[in-house]
């Protein structure tokens, strides 16, 4: 309770622009300590019965993600820092002081789906959206999902979303959010970066500082350590081949196909001549469990180039 009273005091001083630089530093320390923030929220909930509920898209996690992002980007002097924090103090003081959090303190109810089977798992969500969950991945969503279409993903998932203009569909992966109305896309968080690839429709990817709109065959990568986004063109089927038996292409260039070799086989195409990247393969397909040797043999059979496997590289040269 002592921490709760102290934070209430500091938030009110911040809202009234009376807080000192040392006191703001104290708030910063508090917001970065997860155990203290959890205790503060529980104390606040327990002390108020509440008269009405915040909208379903406003969760405790969202509050703290916004707080953390504002802490880390406060630069440019004391005056700017104080102004940037004013909105936060006003929001928290109003919510806590006026008892407008939940009707009564409760823990949100989630459904958690984990996949440790060694193969993909297909999940039909309550709104009829379809999710393919890769092995070693987990998905968490609210029990009232039809009215609160927000999920939390760890690992990799491919989403085919049922359109609902009244209830946007959001996937949270760490500090970024992928939001759609109805579309299909792949999210991969298994490596050190978070990768979102769009198959169909329009997707918005954002954090507290930046926002991007992606179209089909566009990809964005986010590094949570440097907090940097990077956009690229791609061929979306390369990234969700793990969900289907075969990915087919009316045409694909060898330059584009080099990305598939990196994704599927962790090897790269090395072109002896730059012009070879433009060579097209027509009515081409890639099988999910096809070996790199079989794929190379097929390309050599149907194209005027020669691919040769050398250690971790595949050399591309004109066919003799």
């Amino acid at each position: 309770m002592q921490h709760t009273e102290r934070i209430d005091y500091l938030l009110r001083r911040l809202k009234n622009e009376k807080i000192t630089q040392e006191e703001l530093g104290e708030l910063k320390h508090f917001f970065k300590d997860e155990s203290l923030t959890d205790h503060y929220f529980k104390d606040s909930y327990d002390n108020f019965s509440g008269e009405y509920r915040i909208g379903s898209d406003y969760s405790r996690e969202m509050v703290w993600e916004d707080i953390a992002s504002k802490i880390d980007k406060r630069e440019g002097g004391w005056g700017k820092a104080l102004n940037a924090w004013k909105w936060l103090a006003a929001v928290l003081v109003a919510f806590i002081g006026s008892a407008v959090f939940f009707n009564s303190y409760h823990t949100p109810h989630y459904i958690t789906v984990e996949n440790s089977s060694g193969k993909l798992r297909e999940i039909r969500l309550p709104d009829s959206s379809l999710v393919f969950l890769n092995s070693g991945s987990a998905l968490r969503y609210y029990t009232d999902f039809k009215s609160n279409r927000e999920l939390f993903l760890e690992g990799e998932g491919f989403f085919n979303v049922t359109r609902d203009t009244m209830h946007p569909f959001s996937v949270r992966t760490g500090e970024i959010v992928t939001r759609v109305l109805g579309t299909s896309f792949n999210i991969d968080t298994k490596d050190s970066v978070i990768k979102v690839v769009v198959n169909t429709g329009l997707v918005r990817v954002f954090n507290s500082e930046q926002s991007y709109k992606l179209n089909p065959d566009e990809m964005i990568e986010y590094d949570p350590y440097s907090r940097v986004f990077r956009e690229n063109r791609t061929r979306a089927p390369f990234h969700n081949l793990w969900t289907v038996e075969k990915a087919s292409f009316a045409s694909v260039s060898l330059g584009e196909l080099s990305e598939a070799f990196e994704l599927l086989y962790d090897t790269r195409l090395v072109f002896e001549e730059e012009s070879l990247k433009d060579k097209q393969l027509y009515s081409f397909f890639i099988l999910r469990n096809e070996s790199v040797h079989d794929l190379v043999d097929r390309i050599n059979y149907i194209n005027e180039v020669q691919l040769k496997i050398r250690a971790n590289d595949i050399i591309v040269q004109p066919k003799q």
Side-chain angles (χ1 to χ4, degrees):
M1 182 62 70
Q2 182 178 1
H3 280 301
T4 302
E5 293 174 351
R6 176 63 177 171
I7 299 306
D8 284 345
Y9 167 76
L10 292 176
L11 286 173
R12 287 186 170 87
R13 281 181 59 80
L14 177 55
K15 178 176 179 291
N16 295 326
E17 300 187 33
K18 294 181 179 180
I19 197 167
T20 67
Q21 210 162 353
E22 291 75 16
E23 289 172 336
L24 187 61
E26 186 179 347
L27 270 180
K28 176 179 177 179
H29 171 75
F30 167 78
F31 287 140
K32 285 184 173 291
D33 189 321
E34 185 173 336
S35 63
L36 288 179
T37 58
D38 284 346
H39 179 73
Y40 177 61
F41 258 98
K42 187 176 189 310
D43 274 354
S44 300
Y45 285 151
D46 286 343
N47 287 334
F48 299 112
S49 59
E51 297 177 0
Y52 56 92
R53 179 178 174 176
I54 299 172
S56 60
D57 61 340
Y58 198 98
S59 64
R60 182 177 67 171
E61 288 83 355
M62 293 173 67
V63 174
W64 293 129
E65 285 173 8
D66 286 344
I67 291 169
S69 66
K70 294 298 184 297
I71 291 172
D72 290 335
K73 70 176 184 177
R74 290 286 68 80
E75 296 177 354
W78 168 244
K80 288 185 178 180
L82 183 58
N83 288 334
W85 279 78
K86 279 175 59 180
W87 71 270
L88 173 62
V91 168
L92 287 179
V93 169
F95 282 169
I96 295 171
S98 302
V100 299
F101 277 101
F102 295 96
N103 285 333
S104 59
Y105 172 71
H106 69 283
T107 301
H109 295 290
Y110 299 103
I111 295 173
T112 301
V113 181
E114 297 179 346
N115 184 9
S116 57
S117 65
K119 55 185 179 181
L120 72 87
R121 181 173 179 179
E122 186 175 325
I123 303 162
R124 182 69 67 177
L125 296 173
D127 68 339
S128 296
S129 295
L130 183 63
V131 180
F132 291 98
L133 194 63
N134 209 343
S135 179
S137 303
L139 190 69
R140 180 165 56 97
Y141 57 92
Y142 296 105
T143 52
D144 60 343
F145 184 75
K146 284 188 176 180
S147 59
N148 183 13
R149 298 203 304 170
E150 182 178 48
L151 307 91
F152 301 82
L153 173 69
E154 296 179 6
E156 184 173 19
F158 178 81
F159 299 82
N160 195 339
V161 178
T162 299
R163 186 171 181 82
D164 183 349
T165 57
M166 299 298 294
H167 302 99
F169 187 103
S170 300
V171 182
R172 290 185 172 270
T173 47
E175 60 190 59
I176 74 167
V177 180
T178 302
R179 181 163 294 165
V180 304
L181 296 178
T183 183
S184 60
F185 56 96
N186 195 82
I187 301 180
D188 186 359
T189 71
K190 297 194 303 296
D191 297 324
S192 58
V193 298
I194 299 171
K195 185 185 300 181
V196 181
V197 180
V198 180
N199 278 60
T200 61
L202 181 66
V203 171
R204 187 164 74 95
V205 179
F206 61 95
N207 63 4
S208 60
E209 300 171 346
Q210 300 177 74
S211 178
Y212 296 84
K213 288 184 178 179
L214 304 180
N215 293 296
D217 287 334
E218 291 182 346
M219 170 179 69
I220 196 162
E221 294 176 296
Y222 178 73
D223 186 335
Y225 300 101
S226 63
R227 302 174 68 87
V228 171
F229 286 95
R230 185 171 69 249
E231 293 182 274
N232 285 298
R233 292 290 300 175
T234 187
R235 296 299 291 269
F238 294 160
H239 300 268
N240 63 284
L241 183 59
W242 61 275
T243 70
V244 295
E245 292 297 330
K246 181 171 72 173
S248 299
F249 305 87
S251 67
V252 60
S253 70
L254 286 175
E256 292 173 324
L257 201 59
S258 62
E259 183 182 11
F261 275 91
E262 292 184 21
L263 288 169
L264 301 175
Y265 308 112
D266 195 24
T267 187
R268 64 185 185 127
L269 298 187
V270 179
F271 295 86
E272 287 192 349
E273 298 177 10
E274 193 71 17
S275 62
L276 296 177
K277 292 182 178 181
D278 297 326
K279 295 294 183 181
Q280 296 288 319
L281 302 175
Y282 297 98
S283 300
F284 188 72
F285 63 88
I286 304 176
L287 301 174
R288 180 167 65 189
N289 296 318
E290 188 171 21
S291 71
V292 64
H293 291 88
D294 288 344
L295 181 56
V296 166
D297 287 345
R298 280 204 298 115
I299 294 174
N300 286 338
Y301 183 72
I302 64 175
N303 201 270
E304 64 269 24
V305 298
Q306 184 74 27
L307 275 61
K308 295 182 179 180
I309 300 176
R310 292 181 185 171
N312 292 326
D313 292 336
I314 297 176
I315 309 303
V316 183
Q317 55 192 205
K319 187 173 289 185
Q320 303 299 323

